[in-house]
Amino acid sequence: MAFQGKEFTQGMKQLVINLKQFNDNERCQKNFQAAWAIAQTAKGLGIGEASVRRIMAEYNKNKQVIPEDRPKARGRPEHIIPDELQTVVRQYIRSQNLKGQHVSIELVREHLYNISTDYIFPVTTLWRALSRWGFAYGTGKRRSALKERDYVILARRRYLRQKRLNRKPDGSFIRPEVYLDETFINKNHSNQFTWYFGEDGPEVNKPSGKGERLIIVNAITMGGWVDGTRLVFEAKKKTGDYHGQMGWENFSRWFKEQLLPNIPDRSIIIMDNASYHNAEAESSFPRSNSSKEYLRKWLDDTEIPWGQDLLKAELYALCKSNEPKPEYKIDKIAEAAGHSVLRTPQYHPELQPIEMCWGIVKNYMAKHCDFTLQKLRNNLPLAFSQVTSETCWKLIAKTVTEEDRYWYEDGKIDENQGVDSS
């Protein structure tokens, strides 16, 4: 019997599970290593060991029989490694960098597996995730090691410096800080595990698919949710990136009509780098197809000297070398109202306390799901009430502690990596 070259059906997967469990019993009796049972299962069915690991990981994650085969979802597939793991990986790599220890892709893979046997990822997949999260393989102290890319460190350092400038000697804030964010909840968002009667088996009557989706926008301060800022609307699409459903028009309208009238004076508004947060204001900066006369005028207006013999390509290159930083529409709107905007660095959800608020809200929704859109809407106020002013105070305080840790460790890592390895 061999399954090679074929797509695994429900029956095939169940056969893999049954044989693997049989081999696990044999392994325990003979005191063999765990890898033996995987190798025997793969050999017996004529499939690769990676296939056995993948099927068992799916089974162990669900703790129930493999679900019915369903047609593949259209659109861009989700990343195999969830972005929620990036904080765990970042902390591990930084802790090793801090000690001057070697870090390899294999060690990261082993670390994740030690956390949970569900976290079994191919090396190439893990490598792509690390690259996506801003890590690189470079020279560390005395050896090569995984480390954060310079642009990630610089962005975090700039952000932390601004945050530290807003602190009084006693640690309190000089200006109020407001954290805003967007998220989504699907109609069928529910807990994966449930109690069941043993004789009936673990089949749960749960609808297929994720169902309709609600997009939610809100903001928090040390005092809790900001009154009057909650926005909830139904998405036009059930899957895909929800950011595309928000867009600049929806976000800017919410920002002007619901956020600005309800936050304290002179607030620092903290947000992530979603594309609609970074919509650029109109600029007079030349484009590559601008006329030669316009290029010269821009250089004159900005008091940058140029020569009469410069070609158009040279003039444009001179303009580019003096290009000002982009100005964002939302920043101008905030400044006009007496506030300022600060953006969290990429790949750092742990520096956004409202992300943890979303987790509390979604956990409540999952526990009280009945797979109807009406119930989803009715449960939202109760879910939001789980996040109190005390909750927000604690989460923001925890974030400040995390900021201090990054600030200190960045300095120590820089010292370690600056040591001459010769």
Side-chain angles (χ1 to χ4, degrees), residues 173-188:
F173 299 150
I174 298 172
R175 296 171 58 187
E177 293 185 353
V178 179
Y179 294 85
L180 68 84
D181 196 30
E182 309 84 14
T183 191
F184 70 92
I185 302 179
N186 286 96
K187 181 186 71 175
N188 296 337

Side-chain angles (χ1 to χ4, degrees), residues 241-381:
D241 186 358
Y242 71 94
H243 287 105
Q245 299 287 298
M246 188 65 190
W248 164 252
E249 292 299 327
N250 286 333
F251 175 69
S252 60
R253 186 185 308 113
W254 170 83
F255 191 88
K256 289 183 287 188
E257 297 177 2
Q258 291 185 244
L259 182 72
L260 294 183
N262 292 299
I263 59 177
D265 294 340
R266 299 183 64 251
S267 289
I268 298 177
I269 304 170
I270 302 168
M271 63 183 77
D272 62 22
N273 288 276
S275 58
Y276 44 84
H277 295 171
N278 294 342
E280 294 187 14
E282 292 294 329
S283 172
S284 62
F285 185 77
R287 300 182 179 181
S288 58
N289 60 353
S290 297
S291 66
K292 197 172 183 178
E293 290 71 22
Y294 188 83
L295 295 173
R296 288 173 171 172
K297 182 179 183 304
W298 187 86
L299 291 169
D300 284 338
D301 291 343
T302 49
E303 300 182 351
I304 298 171
W306 52 274
Q308 289 287 344
D309 60 341
L310 291 182
L311 301 175
K312 179 181 176 181
E314 293 176 301
L315 289 168
Y316 182 67
L318 183 58
C319 291
K320 287 293 289 183
S321 65
N322 291 278
E323 183 177 6
K325 292 182 179 180
E327 293 184 311
Y328 300 114
K329 293 180 181 180
I330 211 69
D331 295 40
K332 287 180 169 293
I333 295 172
E335 289 166 7
H339 308 289
S340 62
V341 171
L342 184 60
R343 290 169 175 80
T344 52
Q346 287 179 295
Y347 321 122
H348 290 75
E350 68 275 19
L351 298 182
Q352 260 285 12
I354 193 172
E355 292 279 1
M356 291 174 272
C357 295
W358 293 140
I360 296 170
V361 170
K362 290 186 176 183
N363 282 341
Y364 181 90
M365 299 296 285
K367 291 177 182 177
H368 298 82
C369 173
D370 74 348
F371 311 111
T372 66
L373 189 60
Q374 186 60 48
K375 183 72 171 179
L376 184 70
R377 288 184 177 277
N378 291 344
N379 279 341
L380 268 178

Side-chain angles (χ1 to χ4, degrees), residues 196-202:
Y196 59 89
F197 185 58
E199 295 180 5
D200 293 339

Side-chain angles (χ1 to χ4, degrees), residues 6 23 25 32 34 44 82 141 214 273-274 293 303 328 376 389:
K6 298 181 180 179
N23 286 326
N25 292 331
F32 289 163
K141 182 181 179 181
L214 296 181
N273 288 276
E293 290 71 22
E303 300 182 351
Y328 300 114
L376 184 70
S389 58

Side-chain angles (χ1 to χ4, degrees), residues 188-194 206 362-363 366-369:
N188 296 337
H189 176 67
S190 60
N191 284 340
Q192 193 170 23
F193 303 108
T194 184
K206 180 178 178 178
K362 290 186 176 183
N363 282 341
K367 291 177 182 177
H368 298 82
C369 173

Side-chain angles (χ1 to χ4, degrees), residues 78-126:
E78 296 180 358
H79 295 298
I80 295 177
I81 302 181
D83 282 339
E84 288 76 9
L85 284 179
Q86 67 174 289
T87 300
V88 175
V89 172
R90 187 175 303 281
Q91 290 176 348
Y92 171 70
I93 292 178
R94 285 174 57 81
S95 68
Q96 299 303 99
N97 289 163
L98 190 61
K99 294 182 288 187
Q101 298 278 347
H102 171 69
V103 190
S104 66
I105 195 80
E106 290 79 11
L107 289 174
V108 176
R109 190 167 181 257
E110 180 181 337
H111 177 70
L112 290 174
Y113 181 77
N114 289 337
I115 294 173
S116 171
T117 54
D118 291 338
Y119 298 154
I120 305 174
F121 305 117
V123 171
T124 52
T125 303
L126 183 55

Side-chain angles (χ1 to χ4, degrees), residues 159-160 163 167 173 177 179 220 222 270 344-345 348-357 391-407:
Y159 174 78
L160 294 178
K163 288 297 297 295
R167 293 192 203 169
F173 299 150
E177 293 185 353
Y179 294 85
I220 64 168
M222 292 285 278
I270 302 168
T344 52
H348 290 75
E350 68 275 19
L351 298 182
Q352 260 285 12
I354 193 172
E355 292 279 1
M356 291 174 272
C357 295
T391 305
C392 291
W393 188 90
K394 289 181 177 179
L395 291 177
I396 292 175
K398 180 180 178 182
T399 301
V400 170
T401 301
E402 193 74 6
E403 292 169 359
D404 289 341
R405 184 181 65 82
Y406 270 124
W407 185 265

